[in-house]
Amino acid sequence: NAGVTQTPKFQVLKTGQSMTLQCAQDMNHNSMYWYRQDPGMGLRLIYYSASEGTTDKGEVPNGYNVSRLNKREFSLRLESAAPSQTSVYFCASSEATWGGRNEQYFGPGTRLTVT
Amino acid sequence: RKEVEQDPGPFNVPEGATVAFNCTYSNSASQSFFWYRQDCRKEPKLLMSVYSSGNEDGRFTAQLNRASQYISLLIRDSKLSDSATYLCVVNRGNAGNMLTFGGGTRLMVKP
């Protein structure tokens, strides 16, 4: 099993450009998450999808949109990139959202630089 | 006050040493607790889930004190390969399994 995969691994954008970060999991997990990690800030939740067909905002959703394409895939879109969105983006998934097996498993990350 | 607080370290210890990290959390509604390990420029990886009775996995022991709202991680017989940042993670006790991450404690094990 590959677990959680993310593409691309690295990306450089100019201010105002758009892009979509892709995430897929093969663990049949119900819930998926997008985080960003910045130095000194720790991991912060951008958006999550508790189950197929639902999405909700996390702590820092401004400037992002998400799509839960199916149970396996959860994408993150930057419509108009800004330098403040330079960060490392991690996708994660978990089997359950409440009780039970709610450990989250992370993908390898996408390093995004916006110039 | 941060929701999850950890001493950032670094903790510099010799191989074979025992080292302990503590973490405090502020949300009394939290139900799930975890320790993750993160290597430089890599993703966080689940090290242990922390159960109310405490749990052990080889050289690693985790304890939870709900009354005082702190979690600990003990590493015995440290190895060079244990060098990493250890993240204390707590769920928010709400729907959606939203997690709050501590800033991490950096451990450096020296030969």
Side-chain angles (χ1 to χ4, degrees):
Chain A
N1 283 350
V4 181
T5 57
Q6 292 182 235
T7 56
K9 285 187 169 51
F10 302 93
Q11 184 71 49
V12 178
L13 291 178
K14 293 188 189 308
T15 298
Q17 288 185 317
S18 62
M19 79 162 294
T20 300
L21 281 65
Q22 307 286 354
C23 173
Q25 52 90 10
D26 63 3
M27 296 177 281
N28 201 35
H29 283 173
N30 292 304
S31 305
M32 298 184 74
Y33 308 83
W34 276 106
Y35 293 89
R36 59 178 290 172
Q37 187 173 34
D38 303 291
M41 299 293 291
L43 279 132
R44 293 180 292 168
L45 183 66
I46 304 171
Y47 269 94
Y48 68 100
S49 170
S51 61
E52 189 178 355
T54 69
T55 60
D56 284 286
K57 295 179 181 179
E59 298 173 76
V60 289
N62 291 345
Y64 305 95
N65 284 300
V66 291
S67 295
R68 183 75 182 266
L69 303 169
N70 48 54
K71 191 172 185 179
R72 290 188 63 247
E73 299 173 287
F74 188 38
S75 62
L76 178 72
R77 183 160 178 83
L78 287 70
E79 290 291 351
S80 179
S84 61
Q85 294 178 305
T86 293
S87 188
V88 182
Y89 291 86
F90 290 106
C91 178
S93 70
S94 68
E95 182 177 324
T97 56
W98 185 253
R101 299 302 300 274
N102 60 348
E103 297 90 345
Q104 293 186 18
Y105 296 90
F106 285 79
T110 294
R111 294 185 176 276
L112 175 66
T113 301
V114 183
T115 61
Chain B
R1 181 185 172 190
K2 290 184 182 177
E3 287 189 59
V4 179
E5 294 204 63
Q6 296 182 250
D7 181 342
F11 285 57
N12 293 297
V13 302
E15 268 187 295
T18 295
V19 61
F21 307 136
N22 289 327
C23 160
T24 58
Y25 62 95
S26 61
N27 185 354
S28 60
S30 296
Q31 298 292 325
S32 302
F33 309 90
F34 309 96
W35 283 100
Y36 280 75
R37 169 198 170 120
Q38 187 171 26
D39 293 288
C40 188
R41 299 177 73 82
K42 297 286 190 181
E43 73 273 24
K45 291 188 177 176
L46 180 67
L47 180 65
M48 297 178 77
S49 300
V50 186
Y51 304 117
S52 57
S53 57
N55 47 302
E56 186 174 311
D57 183 2
R59 298 182 293 109
F60 300 86
T61 300
Q63 296 281 348
L64 169 64
N65 184 320
R66 285 186 188 270
S68 301
Q69 295 184 203
Y70 81 77
I71 308 151
S72 64
L73 177 68
L74 184 77
I75 304 175
R76 290 181 296 279
D77 188 22
S78 298
K79 312 290 185 192
L80 294 176
S81 57
D82 293 334
S83 297
T85 297
Y86 291 84
L87 305 174
C88 176
V89 183
V90 174
N91 90 332
R92 297 188 184 181
N94 59 356
N97 191 28
M98 294 171 68
L99 300 181
T100 301
F101 287 76
T105 297
R106 190 167 173 211
L107 172 66
M108 298 179 69
V109 181
K110 307 286 191 181

